[in-house]
Amino acid sequence: MISSNYQDVLRGRYQQLPDVRSKVVRIFLSSTFSDTMGERDSLIENVFPKLKSYCREKYGLEFQYADMRWGIPTESNNNHSETETCLKETELCQKYSVATNFVVLLGHRYGSRPTPATIRASLFEQLYSIICSDINDKDDAQLLSQWYQLDTNCIPAVYILRPISSMLPKILSPDTNEVKRAEKEWKKINTRIRTRLRQAATKCLEQQQIQENEYDDFFVSVTEKEIINGILSVPNANERTLCFLRKFEDIHEHLSDNKASKYIDLKYLNDGTPIVDDEVEKLLNRLKYTRIPNVLQSKNIYKYKIHWTSKGINRDDHSQHIEQFNNDFYNAIQQQIDQCVQSRIIPISDPLHHEILEHAIECKTYVAKFHGRTDILNSVS
């Protein structure tokens, strides 16, 4: 008996076409780096090989994972494209993975919050005007004009943060000492720029001149931007994404431990006493306890509570946690693979059916890239 799906494909009416005929399960692993090393290393050693075997043996699929911890090119740091690189990778995983495409691991760290590499021109000019209006900020206004360059090739126009080497060429020097001095200088400049932009963005928000999402762009971390791309803004998040939250129940009592700063965001009082960075903690808690649960069902969110040790996460003190995490990760991914593959992959034994489906997918790809020039056509009609 011919199925309705088969008939729809032959008639050109099949609506659930994939973007590509992929045979890959590709997962973007999102998290901060220093505090999740124990879990990540265990996944690589114990879980990913099993998932590779499972995908290959049961479905003939290739299992891949994208872990940005293993290196973003130096050039990306120089031209401030680290965030863009990460977000593009999340999109590639979404495009090519036939099942799970995004997994986030979160502890007590929120992640780096870089200065925006691009700012919409009209917004930048608003911020610049606010900074210029403060007589004490004249030097910082000049700094902004030096480091941000208008790019009218973009539509709408944007201001782009110049590559570090364009202003501090010694950052690419073969001399290590020169590089360190240039990096130190850039760190000072970057802090000044980021601070002034955040202050100006806060004023704009208070005066209702910008939207909250535009304001957030100056404050949220790369990790949160990945989560926005990977979970919060996708329609099928509960089918293809997972979240793992790990909490040290007593880390606040051990902020002076040598390794504490690798596991929780801290700032320091004048006397050197470490305290929790309350601004960052507020953003992290909003992400963990409001934004993610508003999108993901509870079955997609795994929570762990463990005790702090002076060595941080390690296999001696936290072997039970790591084993439980490994099992949960494997079982959750396996379940999503089974559900997605069985519901989305159409078994094709008929060559005609296969060829028509390939043509339909290719047609969908070309149509998505087509942009008609109705303005020109209207002007000559």
Side-chain angles (χ1 to χ4, degrees):
M1 181 177 178
I2 299 177
S3 69
S4 59
N5 283 346
Y6 183 93
Q7 291 178 338
D8 286 342
V9 169
L10 296 182
R11 292 168 178 167
R13 297 176 182 172
Y14 191 64
Q15 299 299 314
Q16 298 179 350
L17 288 171
D19 290 329
V20 290
R21 289 287 293 165
S22 176
K23 293 186 176 181
V24 173
V25 176
R26 183 173 176 83
I27 295 173
F28 185 93
L29 198 56
S30 173
S31 82
T32 51
F33 295 157
S34 63
D35 61 325
T36 59
M37 191 176 296
E39 287 94 344
R40 283 171 175 264
D41 287 346
S42 186
L43 289 176
I44 292 169
E45 292 176 21
N46 303 303
V47 179
F48 290 161
K50 289 170 60 180
L51 286 171
K52 280 179 178 288
S53 298
Y54 182 79
C55 288
R56 182 177 61 252
E57 293 169 7
K58 186 161 185 178
Y59 297 110
L61 298 173
E62 181 181 355
F63 177 84
Q64 301 173 352
Y65 66 93
D67 187 343
M68 305 312 287
R69 174 180 63 159
W70 296 113
I72 294 176
T74 302
E75 183 57 30
S76 294
N77 296 322
N78 179 45
N79 62 22
H80 319 288
S81 60
E82 308 101 313
T83 302
E84 182 184 4
T85 300
C86 293
L87 297 183
K88 281 184 177 178
E89 187 58 45
T90 67
E91 292 167 3
L92 287 174
C93 290
Q94 290 167 339
K95 180 177 182 179
Y96 290 107
S97 183
V98 299
T100 312
N101 55 46
F102 190 92
V103 177
V104 58
L105 317 178
L106 287 176
H108 294 272
R109 286 185 65 85
Y110 182 58
S112 64
R113 301 190 292 159
T115 304
T118 61
I119 304 174
R120 180 169 49 83
S122 56
L123 174 56
F124 179 88
E125 286 156 9
Q126 273 183 297
L127 301 172
Y128 185 75
S129 176
I130 288 174
I131 294 170
C132 286
S133 66
D134 188 337
I135 193 170
N136 296 319
D137 284 347
K138 295 296 183 183
D139 290 343
D140 291 330
Q142 184 178 2
L143 197 65
L144 277 176
S145 65
Q146 289 174 345
W147 279 90
Y148 276 95
Q149 181 178 21
L150 178 63
D151 182 358
T152 55
N153 289 321
C154 291
I155 301 175
V158 297
Y159 278 84
I160 296 177
L161 187 59
R162 293 174 183 268
I164 302 171
S165 60
S166 68
M167 306 290 282
L168 300 171
K170 290 185 178 179
I171 203 160
L172 299 180
S173 170
D175 186 325
T176 305
N177 291 326
E178 287 187 344
V179 171
K180 287 181 179 179
R181 285 193 291 270
E183 287 177 342
K184 186 177 180 180
E185 180 65 18
W186 164 242
K187 186 176 181 180
K188 291 179 183 177
I189 292 169
N190 190 29
T191 299
R192 283 176 61 190
I193 291 173
R194 186 169 59 243
T195 300
R196 290 296 174 259
L197 286 174
R198 287 178 180 173
Q199 290 172 346
T202 300
K203 286 186 179 180
C204 281
L205 184 67
E206 290 170 353
Q207 297 167 8
Q208 298 183 336
Q209 294 176 330
I210 61 174
Q211 300 295 321
E212 191 166 343
N213 64 320
E214 293 178 308
Y215 167 83
D216 275 352
D217 199 42
F218 295 93
F219 290 87
V220 301
S221 66
V222 176
T223 303
E224 178 155 2
K225 289 179 180 179
E226 291 171 356
I227 293 168
I228 291 170
N229 251 34
I231 295 179
L232 305 185
S233 61
V234 298
N236 57 354
N238 285 292
E239 298 174 22
R240 295 180 171 230
T241 69
L242 295 164
C243 174
F244 295 83
L245 304 177
R246 185 246 294 137
K247 178 181 180 181
F248 285 112
E249 292 188 292
D250 47 357
I251 192 171
H252 287 78
E253 300 165 17
H254 300 276
L255 300 182
S256 297
D257 285 6
N258 289 335
K259 289 200 172 183
S261 62
K262 291 186 176 182
Y263 290 87
I264 188 169
D265 292 298
L266 300 176
K267 58 184 180 181
Y268 297 86
L269 301 177
N270 292 334
D271 62 359
T273 302
I275 60 173
V276 174
D277 188 326
D278 51 350
E279 178 184 302
V280 172
E281 186 177 52
K282 183 178 178 181
L283 290 168
L284 178 61
N285 287 339
R286 180 186 70 167
L287 180 62
K288 290 166 63 175
Y289 305 124
T290 302
R291 302 196 75 180
I292 292 175
N294 282 347
V295 174
L296 287 187
Q297 299 171 2
S298 58
K299 67 182 180 66
N300 289 62
I301 302 174
Y302 293 79
K303 299 178 181 180
Y304 308 93
K305 291 183 179 180
I306 59 177
H307 288 288
W308 170 257
T309 72
S310 59
K311 295 185 287 185
I313 288 282
N314 63 89
R315 299 184 186 187
D316 295 329
D317 299 311
H318 300 108
S319 58
Q320 187 174 351
H321 159 67
I322 291 175
E323 182 179 359
Q324 183 65 53
F325 169 75
N326 286 347
N327 291 336
D328 290 342
F329 193 100
Y330 178 82
N331 291 330
I333 297 289
Q334 183 194 64
Q335 185 177 16
Q336 287 196 345
I337 290 171
D338 289 342
Q339 291 173 346
C340 289
V341 171
Q342 291 170 10
S343 65
R344 293 172 186 270
I345 288 186
I346 307 168
I348 299 175
S349 56
D350 182 352
L352 176 62
H353 179 269
H354 174 80
E355 184 173 349
I356 292 174
L357 189 59
E358 291 294 337
H359 277 284
I361 292 171
E362 193 71 10
C363 179
K364 179 183 177 182
T365 302
Y366 283 124
V367 168
K369 295 178 180 178
F370 177 77
H371 297 279
R373 298 302 302 271
T374 55
D375 53 340
I376 294 176
L377 292 174
N378 289 336
S379 67
V380 297
S381 60

